[in-house]
Amino acid sequence: MELYIDTANLDEIKQAADLGVLDGVTTNPSLIAKEKYDYTKRLEEICAIVKGPVSAEVIATDYAGMMKEGRERAKIAPQIVVKLPSTVDGLKACKAFSDEGVRTNLTLVFQPLQAMMVAKAGAYLVSPFIGRLDDVAEDGMVLIQQIRTIYDNYGYKTKLLAASVRHLKHMTDCALAGADVATVPFSVIKQMMNHPLTDSGLKKFVEDYKKAFGG
Ligand code: E4P
């Protein structure tokens, strides 16, 4: 399973990249707004750190605007993936970019047919939002399972990227459901190697050894 970090914060990206298992980065306008920093400059900085796919979202919501902004974003670095909303205009832009050989990430997916349509349009990544569905009393994991089944039924090559991941249970369930990628906040990445029994077990091993042999 590929692991992306979902942030525009350089410090978090550097720390995650240092773990040696980071495959890519996703950003969105809200994450960039939080940084209060120029989007293009920040994308350049991110691409200098991470060589895997870096999703760069358009702000425009109409087809022409998405095409213009998407082309600008794609010029920033070869690993840029143009992130588009899963609307009718986004679908058309996805098809046009796919025909031009530009990789896309179709975001804000909340139902399985959006995922099917963008796969038909050649999306490189599809981003169903688990946490936001859970927030409105739906089950985000069901969407991941449905998309996995549809993609497997028809052999769609679009990578299933689980987004809006909020905690470790989401991560485990995504891995079990066969998500190709998960994009995860740094706060969750940091916990992925944790278990209290690992810590207490390690402490005991060291104590026992020192009791027996000193040191
Ligand atoms: C995905 O690409 C989005 O940036 C992200 O996962 C949204 O997560 P949120 O629902 O926690 O804002």
Side-chain angles (χ1 to χ4, degrees), residues 50-121:
V50 177
K51 293 303 158 207
V54 173
S55 289
E57 191 157 344
V58 297
I59 312 293
T61 55
D62 64 297
Y63 171 77
M66 286 185 210
M67 292 306 295
K68 182 174 174 291
E69 274 179 35
R71 286 201 178 100
E72 284 162 11
R73 302 255 195 269
K75 273 190 222 143
I76 294 172
Q79 72 263 48
I80 289 285
V81 175
V82 176
K83 201 172 177 191
L84 303 164
S86 298
T87 57
V88 169
D89 281 40
L91 180 74
K92 290 181 187 168
C94 172
K95 178 73 173 93
F97 279 125
S98 305
D99 290 347
E100 289 178 13
V102 174
R103 293 183 299 177
T104 55
N105 174 359
L106 272 286
T107 191
L108 291 166
V109 165
F110 292 98
Q111 54 101 337
L113 295 180
Q114 288 175 303
M116 189 181 83
M117 295 292 273
V118 305
K120 286 174 70 65

Side-chain angles (χ1 to χ4, degrees), residues 14-39:
K14 280 181 196 152
Q15 287 187 59
D18 275 352
L19 297 175
V21 292
L22 186 71
D23 299 296
V25 180
T26 51
T27 64
N28 67 39
S30 304
L31 291 172
I32 277 287
K34 224 161 82 181
E35 296 296 307
K36 297 188 178 14
Y37 197 78
D38 181 80
Y39 202 172

Side-chain angles (χ1 to χ4, degrees), residues 6 26-28 31 83 107 127 129 132 163-166 183:
D6 193 29
T26 51
T27 64
N28 67 39
L31 291 172
K83 201 172 177 191
T107 191
S127 293
F129 278 38
R132 292 193 196 187
S164 190
V165 167
R166 301 271 168 82
T183 188

